[in-house]
Amino acid sequence: MTMNKQAIDTRRRALLRGAGAASLALGGGALSLPAAADAMAHDRPSDPWRQAEAIAGRFKTPLVFRKQDFPITAHGAKPCKVITVQGFVGHHEPGMVSTPAPGAHDCYPAIAAAIAACARAGGGRVLIPAGAWLCKGPIVLRSNVHVHLKSGAHVFFSNDPEDFARYGEVDCGPNGKLTLSRWQSNDCLNYSPLVYAHKQNNIALTGEDWTSILDGQGGVPLNGGDCWWDWKSKRTGARELVSQVAVNPANPPSILTVAPNLSPSQVKLIEGESSRWRNDESYLPSLSEAGVPVGKRVFGRGHYLRPCMVEFIGCDRVLLKGYQVNQAPFWLHHPVACRDLEMRQVHMDSMGPNSDGFDPEACDYVLVEDCTFNTGDDCIAIKAGKNLDTQFGPTQNVLIQKCIMNSGHGGVTLGSEMSGGIQHVYAQDVEFRNVNWATSPLSTAIRMKTNMNRGGFLKHFYVRNVTIPNGVQTTPHFYTPLPGSPIAPKSVSSSAGAVITIDCDYAPTADNVRTRPPVVSNVHISNVKVGNVKTRAGTFSCYQAIMLLGPVAFDYNGSDPSTIVPITDITISDCDFGIPANAEHPWYAYNVKSAKLTNVTIAGKVYNTTLTA
Protein backbone atom coordinates (compact mmCIF):
# COMPACT_ATOMS: atom_id res chain seq x y z
CA MET A 1 0.00 0.00 0.00
CA THR A 2 1.27 3.49 -0.79
CA MET A 3 0.15 6.56 1.07
CA ASN A 4 1.33 9.34 -1.17
CA LYS A 5 -0.57 8.56 -4.33
CA GLN A 6 -4.14 7.59 -5.14
CA ALA A 7 -5.42 6.94 -8.62
CA ILE A 8 -8.71 8.56 -9.54
CA ASP A 9 -11.29 5.90 -10.30
CA THR A 10 -14.24 7.22 -12.30
CA ARG A 11 -15.79 3.81 -12.99
CA ARG A 12 -19.24 3.00 -11.71
CA ARG A 13 -19.24 0.47 -8.91
CA ALA A 14 -22.30 -1.14 -7.40
CA LEU A 15 -23.44 -0.80 -3.83
CA LEU A 16 -23.01 -4.37 -2.64
CA ARG A 17 -25.76 -5.67 -0.40
CA GLY A 18 -25.45 -9.41 -0.28
CA ALA A 19 -23.09 -9.95 2.64
CA GLY A 20 -23.99 -7.15 5.03
CA ALA A 21 -21.91 -4.19 6.05
CA ALA A 22 -18.56 -5.92 5.70
CA SER A 23 -19.03 -6.23 1.95
CA LEU A 24 -20.23 -2.68 1.32
CA ALA A 25 -18.37 -0.76 -1.38
CA LEU A 26 -18.87 2.89 -2.17
CA GLY A 27 -20.46 3.60 -5.55
CA GLY A 28 -17.33 5.26 -6.95
CA GLY A 29 -18.05 6.95 -10.19
CA ALA A 30 -21.25 8.81 -10.03
CA LEU A 31 -19.28 11.18 -12.21
CA SER A 32 -18.13 10.13 -15.64
CA LEU A 33 -16.74 13.29 -17.16
CA PRO A 34 -17.67 13.62 -20.85
CA ALA A 35 -15.52 15.00 -23.60
CA ALA A 36 -17.62 18.17 -23.54
CA ALA A 37 -16.07 19.09 -20.19
CA ASP A 38 -12.51 18.52 -21.32
CA ALA A 39 -12.07 22.05 -22.65
CA MET A 40 -12.65 23.38 -19.14
CA ALA A 41 -10.63 20.69 -17.43
CA HIS A 42 -7.25 21.36 -19.04
CA ASP A 43 -5.47 24.56 -19.96
CA ARG A 44 -6.42 28.02 -18.87
CA PRO A 45 -9.22 29.32 -21.12
CA SER A 46 -8.55 32.44 -23.16
CA ASP A 47 -11.68 34.09 -21.75
CA PRO A 48 -12.59 32.40 -18.46
CA TRP A 49 -15.79 34.37 -17.97
CA ARG A 50 -17.22 32.96 -21.20
CA GLN A 51 -16.70 29.56 -19.60
CA ALA A 52 -18.64 30.83 -16.59
CA GLU A 53 -21.48 31.86 -18.89
CA ALA A 54 -21.48 28.37 -20.34
CA ILE A 55 -21.95 26.91 -16.86
CA ALA A 56 -24.94 29.20 -16.24
CA GLY A 57 -26.35 28.28 -19.64
CA ARG A 58 -26.68 24.63 -18.63
CA PHE A 59 -29.39 25.62 -16.15
CA LYS A 60 -31.62 27.73 -18.39
CA THR A 61 -33.92 24.78 -19.04
CA PRO A 62 -35.72 23.90 -15.78
CA LEU A 63 -36.18 20.38 -14.48
CA VAL A 64 -39.47 18.77 -15.46
CA PHE A 65 -41.70 16.70 -13.17
CA ARG A 66 -45.07 15.02 -13.66
CA LYS A 67 -48.05 17.25 -12.92
CA GLN A 68 -49.34 15.38 -9.88
CA ASP A 69 -49.19 16.39 -6.22
CA PHE A 70 -48.80 14.04 -3.25
CA PRO A 71 -49.69 15.94 -0.04
CA ILE A 72 -48.15 14.41 3.07
CA THR A 73 -51.49 14.94 4.85
CA ALA A 74 -53.04 12.36 2.52
CA HIS A 75 -50.69 9.82 4.09
CA GLY A 76 -51.38 10.66 7.72
CA ALA A 77 -49.19 13.65 8.52
CA LYS A 78 -50.46 15.88 11.32
CA PRO A 79 -49.12 19.28 12.33
CA CYS A 80 -47.82 19.91 15.84
CA LYS A 81 -47.71 22.66 18.42
CA VAL A 82 -44.43 24.47 18.98
CA ILE A 83 -42.91 25.63 22.26
CA THR A 84 -39.71 27.45 23.19
CA VAL A 85 -37.06 25.95 25.44
CA GLN A 86 -33.66 26.89 26.75
CA GLY A 87 -31.07 25.75 24.24
CA PHE A 88 -28.31 27.19 22.07
CA VAL A 89 -28.53 29.70 19.24
CA GLY A 90 -24.84 29.18 18.45
CA HIS A 91 -22.07 26.88 19.59
CA HIS A 92 -22.03 27.18 23.40
CA GLU A 93 -24.17 30.33 23.08
CA PRO A 94 -27.32 29.90 25.19
CA GLY A 95 -30.69 31.21 24.10
CA MET A 96 -34.34 30.29 23.58
CA VAL A 97 -35.08 27.96 20.68
CA SER A 98 -38.25 26.55 19.15
CA THR A 99 -39.11 22.86 19.24
CA PRO A 100 -42.21 20.67 18.83
CA ALA A 101 -44.26 20.28 22.00
CA PRO A 102 -44.05 16.93 23.85
CA GLY A 103 -46.22 14.27 22.25
CA ALA A 104 -45.96 15.77 18.75
CA HIS A 105 -47.06 13.50 15.92
CA ASP A 106 -44.21 11.87 13.96
CA CYS A 107 -44.63 12.68 10.26
CA TYR A 108 -41.71 10.55 9.07
CA PRO A 109 -43.94 7.60 7.98
CA ALA A 110 -46.28 9.94 6.09
CA ILE A 111 -43.47 11.78 4.30
CA ALA A 112 -41.79 8.50 3.36
CA ALA A 113 -45.11 7.10 2.11
CA ALA A 114 -45.83 10.21 0.02
CA ILE A 115 -42.38 10.01 -1.60
CA ALA A 116 -42.82 6.29 -2.28
CA ALA A 117 -46.23 6.87 -3.86
CA CYS A 118 -44.85 9.69 -5.98
CA ALA A 119 -41.96 7.53 -7.18
CA ARG A 120 -44.28 4.60 -8.03
CA ALA A 121 -46.41 6.91 -10.14
CA GLY A 122 -43.41 7.97 -12.17
CA GLY A 123 -42.69 11.15 -10.26
CA GLY A 124 -44.41 14.36 -9.28
CA ARG A 125 -44.45 16.78 -6.36
CA VAL A 126 -44.61 15.86 -2.66
CA LEU A 127 -46.28 18.75 -0.84
CA ILE A 128 -45.57 19.79 2.75
CA PRO A 129 -48.31 22.30 3.66
CA ALA A 130 -48.10 25.30 5.98
CA GLY A 131 -47.71 24.34 9.62
CA ALA A 132 -45.19 22.78 11.95
CA TRP A 133 -44.26 19.16 11.26
CA LEU A 134 -42.06 16.83 13.31
CA CYS A 135 -40.04 14.34 11.26
CA LYS A 136 -38.35 11.62 13.32
CA GLY A 137 -36.23 10.27 10.50
CA PRO A 138 -34.66 11.34 7.20
CA ILE A 139 -36.40 12.68 4.12
CA VAL A 140 -35.00 10.42 1.38
CA LEU A 141 -35.52 11.68 -2.19
CA ARG A 142 -35.99 9.40 -5.17
CA SER A 143 -35.64 9.96 -8.89
CA ASN A 144 -38.20 12.30 -10.49
CA VAL A 145 -39.52 13.39 -7.07
CA HIS A 146 -39.86 17.07 -6.19
CA VAL A 147 -40.32 17.77 -2.45
CA HIS A 148 -41.89 21.21 -2.01
CA LEU A 149 -42.51 23.17 1.21
CA LYS A 150 -45.40 25.59 0.99
CA SER A 151 -45.16 29.06 2.51
CA GLY A 152 -45.25 28.71 6.30
CA ALA A 153 -44.19 25.05 6.30
CA HIS A 154 -41.69 24.37 9.09
CA VAL A 155 -40.20 20.87 9.25
CA PHE A 156 -38.55 20.12 12.58
CA PHE A 157 -36.23 17.14 12.29
CA SER A 158 -35.88 15.12 15.46
CA ASN A 159 -33.01 16.09 17.74
CA ASP A 160 -32.63 12.44 18.84
CA PRO A 161 -29.66 10.82 17.04
CA GLU A 162 -31.37 7.44 17.44
CA ASP A 163 -33.97 8.48 14.86
CA PHE A 164 -31.23 8.67 12.23
CA ALA A 165 -29.86 5.21 12.98
CA ARG A 166 -33.17 3.40 12.33
CA TYR A 167 -33.84 3.55 8.62
CA GLY A 168 -30.50 3.14 6.84
CA GLU A 169 -29.98 0.47 4.19
CA VAL A 170 -27.09 -1.22 6.01
CA ASP A 171 -27.77 -3.08 9.26
CA CYS A 172 -24.68 -2.58 11.41
CA GLY A 173 -26.01 -4.39 14.47
CA PRO A 174 -25.45 -2.43 17.69
CA ASN A 175 -24.35 0.65 15.71
CA GLY A 176 -27.78 0.86 14.05
CA LYS A 177 -29.17 0.75 10.55
CA LEU A 178 -26.79 3.19 8.95
CA THR A 179 -26.43 5.14 5.73
CA LEU A 180 -23.61 5.37 3.24
CA SER A 181 -22.37 8.93 3.66
CA ARG A 182 -19.26 11.08 3.60
CA TRP A 183 -18.04 12.93 6.70
CA GLN A 184 -15.53 15.71 6.18
CA SER A 185 -14.68 14.13 2.82
CA ASN A 186 -14.15 10.57 4.08
CA ASP A 187 -16.61 7.78 3.25
CA CYS A 188 -18.31 5.89 6.07
CA LEU A 189 -21.46 4.28 7.38
CA ASN A 190 -23.05 6.70 9.79
CA TYR A 191 -26.22 8.37 11.00
CA SER A 192 -28.36 9.34 8.03
CA PRO A 193 -28.23 12.91 6.78
CA LEU A 194 -31.53 14.62 7.54
CA VAL A 195 -32.30 14.98 3.81
CA TYR A 196 -30.62 12.33 1.68
CA ALA A 197 -30.42 10.85 -1.80
CA HIS A 198 -28.06 8.28 -3.31
CA LYS A 199 -27.72 7.77 -7.07
CA GLN A 200 -31.03 9.46 -7.90
CA ASN A 201 -31.70 11.62 -10.95
CA ASN A 202 -33.95 14.59 -11.59
CA ILE A 203 -34.71 15.55 -7.98
CA ALA A 204 -35.71 18.81 -6.36
CA LEU A 205 -36.05 20.27 -2.87
CA THR A 206 -37.78 23.64 -2.94
CA GLY A 207 -39.71 26.13 -0.84
CA GLU A 208 -42.11 28.90 -1.69
CA ASP A 209 -40.19 31.51 0.28
CA TRP A 210 -38.01 31.80 3.35
CA THR A 211 -40.91 30.88 5.63
CA SER A 212 -40.47 27.40 4.15
CA ILE A 213 -38.05 26.09 6.77
CA LEU A 214 -35.99 22.96 7.32
CA ASP A 215 -34.93 22.95 10.98
CA GLY A 216 -32.24 20.54 12.21
CA GLN A 217 -32.67 21.48 15.89
CA GLY A 218 -28.89 21.38 16.27
CA GLY A 219 -28.97 23.52 19.43
CA VAL A 220 -31.99 21.90 21.11
CA PRO A 221 -30.91 19.62 23.99
CA LEU A 222 -32.40 16.13 24.07
CA ASN A 223 -34.31 15.64 27.32
CA GLY A 224 -32.27 18.37 28.97
CA GLY A 225 -28.95 16.74 28.07
CA ASP A 226 -26.72 17.06 25.02
CA CYS A 227 -27.63 18.63 21.70
CA TRP A 228 -26.11 17.78 18.33
CA TRP A 229 -23.70 20.71 18.62
CA ASP A 230 -22.25 19.34 21.86
CA TRP A 231 -20.67 16.53 19.86
CA LYS A 232 -18.18 18.99 18.40
CA SER A 233 -16.72 19.79 21.81
CA LYS A 234 -18.30 19.80 25.20
CA ARG A 235 -19.45 22.55 27.43
CA THR A 236 -17.74 22.37 30.81
CA GLY A 237 -19.44 19.69 32.86
CA ALA A 238 -21.58 18.40 29.99
CA ARG A 239 -20.03 14.94 29.57
CA GLU A 240 -16.84 16.53 28.30
CA LEU A 241 -15.29 13.24 27.21
CA VAL A 242 -18.20 12.38 24.91
CA SER A 243 -17.45 14.19 21.66
CA GLN A 244 -15.80 13.81 18.29
CA VAL A 245 -12.51 15.22 19.64
CA ALA A 246 -12.19 12.88 22.64
CA VAL A 247 -10.60 9.43 22.49
CA ASN A 248 -13.44 6.98 21.90
CA PRO A 249 -12.91 3.59 23.57
CA ALA A 250 -15.10 2.08 20.85
CA ASN A 251 -12.18 2.65 18.47
CA PRO A 252 -9.44 0.00 18.75
CA PRO A 253 -6.13 0.76 20.53
CA SER A 254 -4.19 -0.18 17.38
CA ILE A 255 -4.90 0.42 13.69
CA LEU A 256 -3.66 -3.15 13.14
CA THR A 257 -6.96 -4.39 14.55
CA VAL A 258 -8.72 -3.25 11.36
CA ALA A 259 -5.73 -3.20 8.98
CA PRO A 260 -3.48 -6.12 10.01
CA ASN A 261 -1.28 -5.97 6.90
CA LEU A 262 0.23 -2.57 7.61
CA SER A 263 3.97 -2.36 8.13
CA PRO A 264 5.40 -0.95 11.39
CA SER A 265 6.39 2.25 9.57
CA GLN A 266 2.87 2.68 8.21
CA VAL A 267 1.37 2.13 11.65
CA LYS A 268 3.67 4.76 13.14
CA LEU A 269 2.82 7.21 10.37
CA ILE A 270 -0.94 6.80 10.86
CA GLU A 271 -1.06 6.68 14.65
CA GLY A 272 1.53 9.37 15.35
CA GLU A 273 2.91 9.90 18.83
CA SER A 274 -0.33 10.06 20.84
CA SER A 275 -3.73 8.43 21.13
CA ARG A 276 -5.42 11.38 19.42
CA TRP A 277 -5.89 9.30 16.26
CA ARG A 278 -8.61 7.38 18.17
CA ASN A 279 -10.88 10.44 18.33
CA ASP A 280 -13.80 9.82 15.98
CA GLU A 281 -12.90 12.80 13.79
CA SER A 282 -9.33 11.45 13.42
CA TYR A 283 -10.14 7.75 13.38
CA LEU A 284 -12.19 7.98 10.18
CA PRO A 285 -9.36 9.53 8.09
CA SER A 286 -6.99 7.00 9.68
CA LEU A 287 -9.18 4.24 8.26
CA SER A 288 -8.89 5.84 4.83
CA GLU A 289 -5.10 6.05 5.10
CA ALA A 290 -5.00 2.40 6.14
CA GLY A 291 -7.04 1.31 3.10
CA VAL A 292 -9.92 -0.02 5.19
CA PRO A 293 -12.97 -0.57 2.92
CA VAL A 294 -16.02 1.60 3.47
CA GLY A 295 -18.11 -1.31 4.72
CA LYS A 296 -15.84 -1.60 7.72
CA ARG A 297 -15.84 2.10 8.56
CA VAL A 298 -18.84 1.76 10.87
CA PHE A 299 -19.85 4.69 13.08
CA GLY A 300 -23.41 5.54 14.16
CA ARG A 301 -24.39 4.61 17.72
CA GLY A 302 -21.55 4.95 20.17
CA HIS A 303 -19.79 7.50 17.95
CA TYR A 304 -20.03 11.26 17.56
CA LEU A 305 -19.87 12.21 13.90
CA ARG A 306 -22.82 14.54 13.32
CA PRO A 307 -24.73 14.06 10.05
CA CYS A 308 -25.11 16.69 7.35
CA MET A 309 -28.43 18.46 6.95
CA VAL A 310 -28.75 17.80 3.20
CA GLU A 311 -26.46 15.28 1.52
CA PHE A 312 -26.88 13.92 -2.00
CA ILE A 313 -24.37 11.38 -3.31
CA GLY A 314 -23.97 10.45 -6.98
CA CYS A 315 -27.06 12.32 -8.18
CA ASP A 316 -27.62 14.04 -11.53
CA ARG A 317 -29.89 17.02 -12.29
CA VAL A 318 -30.54 18.45 -8.83
CA LEU A 319 -32.45 21.60 -7.87
CA LEU A 320 -32.30 23.30 -4.45
CA LYS A 321 -34.39 26.45 -4.32
CA GLY A 322 -36.30 28.93 -2.25
CA TYR A 323 -36.25 27.60 1.33
CA GLN A 324 -34.47 28.36 4.61
CA VAL A 325 -32.25 26.07 6.71
CA ASN A 326 -31.92 26.54 10.48
CA GLN A 327 -29.79 24.84 13.14
CA ALA A 328 -28.11 22.15 11.07
CA PRO A 329 -26.30 19.50 13.11
CA PHE A 330 -23.25 19.77 10.81
CA TRP A 331 -22.68 21.00 7.23
CA LEU A 332 -25.90 22.40 5.72
CA HIS A 333 -25.61 21.19 2.12
CA HIS A 334 -23.13 18.56 0.99
CA PRO A 335 -23.60 17.24 -2.55
CA VAL A 336 -21.01 14.58 -3.39
CA ALA A 337 -20.22 13.38 -6.91
CA CYS A 338 -23.27 15.17 -8.28
CA ARG A 339 -23.63 16.62 -11.76
CA ASP A 340 -25.73 19.56 -12.93
CA LEU A 341 -26.68 20.90 -9.51
CA GLU A 342 -28.48 24.22 -9.22
CA MET A 343 -28.92 26.10 -5.94
CA ARG A 344 -30.95 29.31 -6.00
CA GLN A 345 -32.53 31.65 -3.46
CA VAL A 346 -31.73 29.47 -0.46
CA HIS A 347 -31.28 31.20 2.89
CA MET A 348 -28.88 29.51 5.30
CA ASP A 349 -29.08 30.55 8.95
CA SER A 350 -27.18 28.19 11.25
CA MET A 351 -24.57 29.40 13.71
CA GLY A 352 -23.51 26.05 15.11
CA PRO A 353 -20.07 24.43 14.88
CA ASN A 354 -19.07 23.34 11.38
CA SER A 355 -22.19 25.03 9.99
CA ASP A 356 -20.77 25.37 6.47
CA GLY A 357 -23.53 26.61 4.19
CA PHE A 358 -22.70 24.80 0.95
CA ASP A 359 -19.94 22.23 0.41
CA PRO A 360 -20.02 20.77 -3.11
CA GLU A 361 -17.59 17.88 -3.32
CA ALA A 362 -16.28 16.12 -6.42
CA CYS A 363 -19.18 17.70 -8.33
CA ASP A 364 -19.27 18.77 -11.99
CA TYR A 365 -21.31 21.76 -13.16
CA VAL A 366 -22.70 23.63 -10.18
CA LEU A 367 -24.54 26.97 -10.11
CA VAL A 368 -25.04 28.90 -6.85
CA GLU A 369 -27.06 32.08 -7.35
CA ASP A 370 -29.02 34.57 -5.25
CA CYS A 371 -28.33 32.75 -1.98
CA THR A 372 -27.80 34.25 1.48
CA PHE A 373 -25.42 32.83 4.07
CA ASN A 374 -25.41 33.41 7.82
CA THR A 375 -23.32 30.53 9.04
CA GLY A 376 -21.14 29.42 11.94
CA ASP A 377 -18.37 28.27 9.63
CA ASP A 378 -17.47 28.77 5.96
CA CYS A 379 -20.31 30.13 3.83
CA ILE A 380 -19.19 28.12 0.80
CA ALA A 381 -16.41 25.53 1.07
CA ILE A 382 -15.62 23.55 -2.07
CA LYS A 383 -14.29 20.05 -1.35
CA ALA A 384 -12.80 17.13 -3.30
CA GLY A 385 -12.02 14.15 -1.09
CA LYS A 386 -9.54 13.57 1.69
CA ASN A 387 -6.73 11.09 2.32
CA LEU A 388 -7.23 8.23 -0.14
CA ASP A 389 -10.95 8.87 -0.75
CA THR A 390 -10.49 10.55 -4.12
CA GLN A 391 -12.31 8.07 -6.36
CA PHE A 392 -14.85 10.66 -7.52
CA GLY A 393 -12.20 12.94 -8.98
CA PRO A 394 -12.09 16.75 -8.82
CA THR A 395 -14.70 19.39 -8.25
CA GLN A 396 -14.93 21.50 -11.38
CA ASN A 397 -17.07 23.93 -13.32
CA VAL A 398 -18.61 25.82 -10.42
CA LEU A 399 -20.19 29.27 -10.77
CA ILE A 400 -21.07 31.37 -7.70
CA GLN A 401 -22.82 34.66 -8.34
CA LYS A 402 -25.13 37.29 -6.87
CA CYS A 403 -24.81 35.89 -3.36
CA ILE A 404 -24.68 37.60 0.04
CA MET A 405 -22.45 36.35 2.86
CA ASN A 406 -23.58 37.91 6.13
CA SER A 407 -21.39 35.93 8.51
CA GLY A 408 -19.02 32.97 8.58
CA HIS A 409 -15.39 31.92 8.88
CA GLY A 410 -14.58 32.12 5.17
CA GLY A 411 -16.80 33.59 2.47
CA VAL A 412 -15.87 31.68 -0.67
CA THR A 413 -13.47 28.93 0.41
CA LEU A 414 -11.73 26.18 -1.54
CA GLY A 415 -10.60 23.29 0.68
CA SER A 416 -9.32 22.22 3.01
CA GLU A 417 -10.38 18.71 1.98
CA MET A 418 -9.29 18.77 -1.67
CA SER A 419 -7.16 15.67 -2.28
CA GLY A 420 -8.96 15.02 -5.58
CA GLY A 421 -8.33 18.53 -6.87
CA ILE A 422 -10.41 21.65 -7.58
CA GLN A 423 -10.46 23.49 -10.90
CA HIS A 424 -12.49 25.97 -12.93
CA VAL A 425 -14.30 27.79 -10.17
CA TYR A 426 -15.82 31.22 -10.84
CA ALA A 427 -17.22 33.73 -8.34
CA GLN A 428 -18.63 37.11 -9.29
CA ASP A 429 -20.95 39.83 -8.02
CA VAL A 430 -20.69 38.66 -4.40
CA GLU A 431 -21.20 40.81 -1.30
CA PHE A 432 -19.48 39.81 1.92
CA ARG A 433 -21.48 41.95 4.32
CA ASN A 434 -19.78 40.78 7.53
CA VAL A 435 -22.76 42.05 9.53
CA ASN A 436 -21.45 40.67 12.83
CA TRP A 437 -18.06 42.36 12.45
CA ALA A 438 -18.11 43.73 16.01
CA THR A 439 -18.81 40.41 17.76
CA SER A 440 -18.17 37.52 15.35
CA PRO A 441 -16.39 38.85 12.29
CA LEU A 442 -15.80 37.13 8.98
CA SER A 443 -12.37 35.53 9.31
CA THR A 444 -11.38 35.93 5.65
CA ALA A 445 -13.32 36.59 2.45
CA ILE A 446 -11.63 34.60 -0.33
CA ARG A 447 -9.84 31.60 1.07
CA MET A 448 -7.89 28.64 -0.32
CA LYS A 449 -6.64 26.13 2.23
CA THR A 450 -4.85 22.80 2.06
CA ASN A 451 -1.78 21.10 3.55
CA MET A 452 0.64 18.22 3.15
CA ASN A 453 -2.08 15.74 4.06
CA ARG A 454 -5.00 17.05 1.99
CA GLY A 455 -2.70 17.81 -0.95
CA GLY A 456 -4.52 17.95 -4.26
CA PHE A 457 -4.39 20.68 -6.87
CA LEU A 458 -6.16 24.01 -7.04
CA LYS A 459 -6.10 25.80 -10.37
CA HIS A 460 -8.18 28.10 -12.56
CA PHE A 461 -9.98 30.01 -9.81
CA TYR A 462 -11.45 33.32 -10.97
CA VAL A 463 -13.04 36.00 -8.78
CA ARG A 464 -14.32 39.45 -9.74
CA ASN A 465 -16.67 42.20 -8.58
CA VAL A 466 -16.62 41.63 -4.83
CA THR A 467 -17.69 44.14 -2.17
CA ILE A 468 -16.81 43.82 1.52
CA PRO A 469 -18.33 46.92 3.15
CA ASN A 470 -17.39 45.99 6.74
CA GLY A 471 -14.03 44.40 6.02
CA VAL A 472 -12.94 41.16 7.67
CA GLN A 473 -11.44 40.38 11.06
CA THR A 474 -9.01 43.14 12.03
CA THR A 475 -7.03 41.16 14.59
CA PRO A 476 -4.64 38.27 13.80
CA HIS A 477 -5.38 34.59 14.29
CA PHE A 478 -2.04 32.87 14.07
CA TYR A 479 -1.72 29.27 13.04
CA THR A 480 0.39 26.74 14.96
CA PRO A 481 3.27 25.34 12.92
CA LEU A 482 4.84 21.98 13.63
CA PRO A 483 7.58 21.96 16.28
CA GLY A 484 10.87 22.98 14.71
CA SER A 485 9.26 24.57 11.67
CA PRO A 486 11.15 27.37 9.93
CA ILE A 487 8.02 29.45 10.45
CA ALA A 488 7.98 30.77 13.99
CA PRO A 489 4.84 30.44 16.12
CA LYS A 490 2.58 33.49 16.20
CA SER A 491 4.17 34.96 13.10
CA VAL A 492 1.68 34.14 10.33
CA SER A 493 -1.99 35.09 10.59
CA SER A 494 -3.24 32.47 8.17
CA SER A 495 -6.42 31.47 10.02
CA ALA A 496 -8.04 34.92 10.01
CA GLY A 497 -7.43 38.56 9.25
CA ALA A 498 -6.60 38.61 5.53
CA VAL A 499 -9.04 39.51 2.78
CA ILE A 500 -7.42 37.01 0.37
CA THR A 501 -5.82 33.90 1.87
CA ILE A 502 -3.92 31.10 0.15
CA ASP A 503 -2.89 28.73 2.93
CA CYS A 504 -0.93 25.62 1.95
CA ASP A 505 -0.07 24.79 5.57
CA TYR A 506 -3.56 24.71 7.04
CA ALA A 507 -3.67 23.09 10.50
CA PRO A 508 -0.49 21.01 10.02
CA THR A 509 -0.65 19.59 13.54
CA ALA A 510 -4.00 17.92 12.78
CA ASP A 511 -2.59 15.26 10.44
CA ASN A 512 0.03 12.61 11.11
CA VAL A 513 0.34 11.57 7.45
CA ARG A 514 1.82 14.46 5.45
CA THR A 515 2.87 12.87 2.17
CA ARG A 516 0.83 14.76 -0.45
CA PRO A 517 2.14 18.23 -1.29
CA PRO A 518 -0.52 20.57 -2.72
CA VAL A 519 -0.16 22.42 -6.02
CA VAL A 520 -1.76 25.87 -6.32
CA SER A 521 -1.66 27.89 -9.54
CA ASN A 522 -3.73 30.09 -11.84
CA VAL A 523 -5.70 32.15 -9.35
CA HIS A 524 -7.00 35.44 -10.73
CA ILE A 525 -8.84 37.99 -8.58
CA SER A 526 -10.01 41.45 -9.64
CA ASN A 527 -12.19 44.36 -8.54
CA VAL A 528 -12.40 43.66 -4.81
CA LYS A 529 -13.51 46.67 -2.77
CA VAL A 530 -13.06 46.56 1.02
CA GLY A 531 -14.52 49.02 3.52
CA ASN A 532 -13.24 50.01 6.95
CA VAL A 533 -14.89 49.75 10.36
CA LYS A 534 -14.18 51.75 13.49
CA THR A 535 -12.69 49.54 16.19
CA ARG A 536 -11.24 50.41 19.60
CA ALA A 537 -7.76 50.18 18.09
CA GLY A 538 -8.56 52.39 15.10
CA THR A 539 -10.37 52.37 11.75
CA PHE A 540 -9.39 49.29 9.77
CA SER A 541 -10.56 46.94 7.03
CA CYS A 542 -8.58 43.82 7.95
CA TYR A 543 -5.43 42.73 9.71
CA GLN A 544 -3.51 42.12 6.48
CA ALA A 545 -4.69 42.49 2.89
CA ILE A 546 -3.15 39.35 1.36
CA MET A 547 -1.75 36.16 2.92
CA LEU A 548 0.13 33.74 0.63
CA LEU A 549 1.59 30.75 2.48
CA GLY A 550 2.96 28.17 0.07
CA PRO A 551 3.82 24.56 0.94
CA VAL A 552 6.24 24.26 3.88
CA ALA A 553 8.78 21.60 2.97
CA PHE A 554 9.65 21.01 6.63
CA ASP A 555 6.20 19.46 7.20
CA TYR A 556 6.58 16.79 4.54
CA ASN A 557 7.13 13.19 5.71
CA GLY A 558 6.81 11.41 2.36
CA SER A 559 9.46 9.96 0.06
CA ASP A 560 9.59 12.43 -2.86
CA PRO A 561 10.30 16.03 -1.78
CA SER A 562 10.74 17.07 -5.43
CA THR A 563 6.92 17.25 -5.61
CA ILE A 564 6.89 20.30 -3.32
CA VAL A 565 6.42 23.37 -5.52
CA PRO A 566 5.66 27.03 -4.80
CA ILE A 567 2.42 28.88 -5.45
CA THR A 568 2.50 30.14 -9.04
CA ASP A 569 0.58 32.38 -11.46
CA ILE A 570 -1.44 34.50 -9.05
CA THR A 571 -2.85 37.84 -10.24
CA ILE A 572 -4.65 40.41 -8.11
CA SER A 573 -5.78 43.54 -9.94
CA ASP A 574 -7.91 46.67 -9.62
CA CYS A 575 -8.58 46.15 -5.91
CA ASP A 576 -8.84 48.48 -2.92
CA PHE A 577 -8.22 46.69 0.38
CA GLY A 578 -8.89 49.63 2.68
CA ILE A 579 -6.63 50.15 5.70
CA PRO A 580 -5.10 47.02 7.26
CA ALA A 581 -4.35 47.08 10.99
CA ASN A 582 -0.94 45.72 10.03
CA ALA A 583 -0.37 48.37 7.36
CA GLU A 584 3.39 48.14 7.91
CA HIS A 585 3.23 44.63 6.42
CA PRO A 586 0.23 44.74 4.06
CA TRP A 587 0.89 41.21 2.78
CA TYR A 588 2.66 38.01 3.74
CA ALA A 589 4.35 35.70 1.21
CA TYR A 590 6.21 32.40 1.67
CA ASN A 591 7.20 29.93 -1.06
CA VAL A 592 5.54 31.99 -3.79
CA LYS A 593 7.00 32.05 -7.29
CA SER A 594 4.81 34.68 -8.89
CA ALA A 595 1.99 36.80 -7.48
CA LYS A 596 1.40 39.90 -9.58
CA LEU A 597 -0.34 42.94 -8.09
CA THR A 598 -1.70 45.45 -10.61
CA ASN A 599 -3.42 48.68 -9.54
CA VAL A 600 -3.87 47.36 -6.02
CA THR A 601 -4.56 49.99 -3.35
CA ILE A 602 -3.70 49.27 0.29
CA ALA A 603 -3.94 52.00 2.92
CA GLY A 604 -4.17 54.56 0.12
CA LYS A 605 -0.99 53.44 -1.63
CA VAL A 606 -1.16 51.93 -5.12
CA TYR A 607 0.98 48.86 -5.80
CA ASN A 608 2.13 47.48 -9.13
CA THR A 609 4.57 44.74 -8.24
CA THR A 610 5.26 41.01 -8.32
CA LEU A 611 5.67 39.08 -5.08
CA THR A 612 8.26 36.30 -4.99
CA ALA A 613 9.33 34.62 -1.76
Side-chain angles (χ1 to χ4, degrees), residues 577-588:
F577 289 99
I579 304 173
N582 189 12
E584 185 178 351
H585 301 99
W587 58 71
Y588 177 88

Side-chain angles (χ1 to χ4, degrees), residues 15 66 68-69 76 78 130 156 163-164 175 189 195-196 211 217 294 303 314 323 405 418 437 473 509 536 594 601:
L15 182 65
R66 287 182 64 252
Q68 183 178 359
D69 287 342
K78 298 178 182 178
F156 289 91
D163 290 329
F164 299 93
N175 293 68
L189 294 168
V195 182
Y196 180 73
T211 67
Q217 297 203 85
V294 179
H303 296 269
Y323 55 86
M405 278 76 168
M418 50 170 283
W437 65 267
Q473 184 168 315
T509 60
R536 291 182 180 180
S594 174
T601 303

Side-chain angles (χ1 to χ4, degrees), residues 213-288:
I213 298 173
L214 298 170
D215 193 326
Q217 297 203 85
V220 180
L222 178 64
N223 300 323
D226 289 351
C227 63
W228 280 118
W229 293 346
D230 284 324
W231 288 12
K232 167 63 176 180
S233 59
K234 292 299 175 181
R235 293 168 281 124
T236 300
R239 296 199 301 152
E240 293 176 60
L241 298 180
V242 181
S243 75
Q244 70 191 51
V245 297
V247 171
N248 189 339
N251 299 328
S254 171
I255 194 68
L256 289 171
T257 304
V258 291
N261 296 324
L262 294 177
S263 69
S265 62
Q266 289 171 329
V267 171
K268 183 177 180 180
L269 194 61
I270 291 172
E271 294 185 357
E273 302 297 330
S274 73
S275 59
R276 187 181 63 184
W277 72 278
R278 296 178 63 199
N279 304 345
D280 280 340
E281 73 171 17
S282 300
Y283 182 59
L284 175 56
S286 296
L287 295 177
S288 174

